[in-house]
Amino acid sequence: TTKEAIWACTTCGSCVEHCPMGIEHIDKLTDMRTALVLMEADFPQEAAVTFKNMETAGNPWGFAPAERAQWTDGLDVPVMSQKKEADILWWVGCSGSYDERGKKVSRAMTQLLKAAGVDYAILGEEERCNCESARRLGNEYLYQTATREIIETLRQYPVKRVLTTCPHCYNTFKNDYPAFGERFDVISHVEFLRELIDAGSLRVSSAAFQGRTAYHDSCYLGRHNGVYNAPREVLESAGCTLAAAPREKGRGFCCGAGGGQMWLEETGDSIAGIRAAELVAAGADQIAAACPFCITMLGDGLKKNESTVEVKDIAEILAEGLPV
């Protein structure tokens, strides 16, 4: 049905990129979702739980806000409320703070920032979900409420540069916040790691990994923001031999989690399963990604395909190459 089509979109941007008529499909579909959500309260049941958790707990799972910085225990991670000022404000994001798989990426990133001597801090308990998924799922009211709250928090500090480890957070700060009167100098972690390597601040030995690595382009880093080369250059600097994926860069294939699909039940063929099989068939002995949603989805896809190949964030691969 037409309504099913409205809720099926992953906002990957492929249709927009390749449409010969230049039609902006995503805005139209998300506007339809907004009308359904806010005017008719008509949306998938799973989204109701996610909306409530984002609103009341500040994260999609409903974990206590006080637990947001627990992943830092024993790591000596500076917090902005105590430090007051830092060159880099690292926006860890909900996955990096709460999700068990995401926490591993955060710990790897902490190792890299420490090794490079970066002056940084996190918000800790002051951070909350920016509700990007809620906006893509049509709950514009929740998104705008969260946005104003976040901007108010950030205005307490002299924020020079925002570092993100999630492309969805990156895209929100870079492309959505200017409409709310805030322009941040925001950088994705793969671009930042390349800067550190180029400047000689971060030195990693060639990874002990001897196989081939396939890099999966995140839609919100790649198609939406044109970040294609930085992740590949960082992987090569870590000694990775890259396996070319059949669909990559501008023609990359979505993991299936964008557009709020991360929080909905998947129907039909598994997008993540298709993508995982594709990357393994390309000769990948490991898969590299730069997005917590992609890592979750591809991990599930690999399990469905009964593959032993692992998917890792670029930060994890780099951290493996740090001097012991």
Side-chain angles (χ1 to χ4, degrees):
T1 66
T2 305
K3 196 177 284 187
E4 283 171 349
I6 291 171
W7 290 109
C9 177
T10 65
T11 68
C12 73
S14 180
C15 57
V16 178
E17 178 108 347
H18 304 298
C19 178
M21 301 300 290
I23 296 169
E24 297 282 343
H25 310 70
I26 295 173
D27 294 346
K28 291 170 176 59
L29 284 165
T30 51
D31 283 350
M32 289 179 207
R33 289 179 181 181
T34 301
L36 287 170
V37 172
L38 300 184
M39 304 299 288
E40 300 178 32
D42 182 0
F43 49 88
Q45 192 53 46
E46 317 94 276
V49 179
T50 305
F51 290 159
K52 186 179 179 187
N53 288 340
M54 286 176 172
E55 184 177 0
T56 58
N59 66 83
W61 298 282
F63 291 118
E67 295 174 26
R68 188 174 273 274
Q70 281 185 3
W71 69 270
T72 66
D73 289 352
L75 293 179
D76 192 27
V77 175
V79 179
M80 195 62 102
S81 60
Q82 297 164 1
K83 194 167 178 175
K84 303 300 181 192
E85 193 173 350
D87 290 341
I88 298 290
L89 170 66
W90 175 19
W91 185 269
V92 181
C94 296
S95 291
S97 301
Y98 292 110
D99 177 63
E100 289 306 319
R101 184 65 189 82
K103 287 181 197 175
K104 292 179 182 176
V105 178
S106 296
R107 292 186 191 111
M109 196 65 195
T110 302
Q111 287 179 271
L112 296 170
L113 293 172
K114 185 177 180 182
V118 176
D119 176 34
Y120 78 99
I122 67 170
L123 284 175
E125 290 178 27
E126 285 191 290
E127 191 181 286
R128 61 148 299 145
C129 184
N130 59 37
C131 296
E132 181 265 355
S133 286
R135 179 176 233 192
R136 305 291 175 244
L137 286 171
N139 198 333
E140 182 68 15
Y141 176 78
L142 176 55
Y143 170 77
Q144 292 203 19
T145 304
T147 297
R148 292 190 178 94
E149 200 176 305
I150 290 166
I151 288 172
E152 201 173 307
T153 300
L154 293 177
R155 280 177 177 165
Q156 297 175 54
Y157 305 107
V159 176
K160 299 169 189 172
R161 202 175 198 195
V162 178
L163 168 68
T164 65
T165 30
C166 171
H168 295 265
C169 296
Y170 171 73
N171 184 71
T172 298
F173 281 117
K174 182 182 174 185
N175 297 323
D176 293 352
Y177 277 26
F180 295 86
E182 283 293 332
R183 290 183 184 275
F184 293 106
D185 178 6
V186 59
I187 189 165
S188 69
H189 71 306
V190 287
E191 292 173 296
F192 190 61
L193 290 170
R194 183 178 65 176
E195 276 187 16
L196 294 175
I197 291 166
D198 289 349
S201 307
L202 182 64
R203 291 182 175 86
V204 289
S205 61
S206 292
F209 187 78
Q210 296 301 311
R212 288 158 64 77
T213 302
Y215 173 66
H216 166 79
D217 286 287
S218 156
C219 300
Y220 274 78
L221 261 190
R223 258 193 300 271
H224 285 284
N225 286 290
V227 180
Y228 293 119
N229 295 329
R232 290 171 170 84
E233 288 166 6
V234 169
L235 286 167
E236 285 173 340
S237 74
C240 291
T241 303
L242 296 182
R247 289 184 274 190
E248 61 180 1
K249 298 189 176 177
R251 295 191 175 275
F253 190 66
C254 180
C255 75
Q261 300 296 329
M262 180 77 182
W263 318 109
L264 305 183
E265 288 297 324
E266 193 171 45
T267 56
D269 293 338
S270 165
I271 296 173
I274 293 167
R275 182 56 169 165
E278 204 171 77
L279 294 170
V280 173
D285 298 300
Q286 75 173 354
I287 296 168
C291 171
F293 289 1
C294 293
I295 289 171
T296 298
M297 297 297 281
L298 292 174
D300 289 347
L302 289 163
K303 280 179 198 161
K304 281 176 186 165
N305 297 337
E306 299 181 349
S307 172
T308 56
V309 171
E310 271 190 277
V311 57
K312 296 178 184 175
D313 190 275
I314 286 176
E316 294 177 297
I317 293 170
L318 243 62
E320 288 170 5
L322 285 173
V324 179

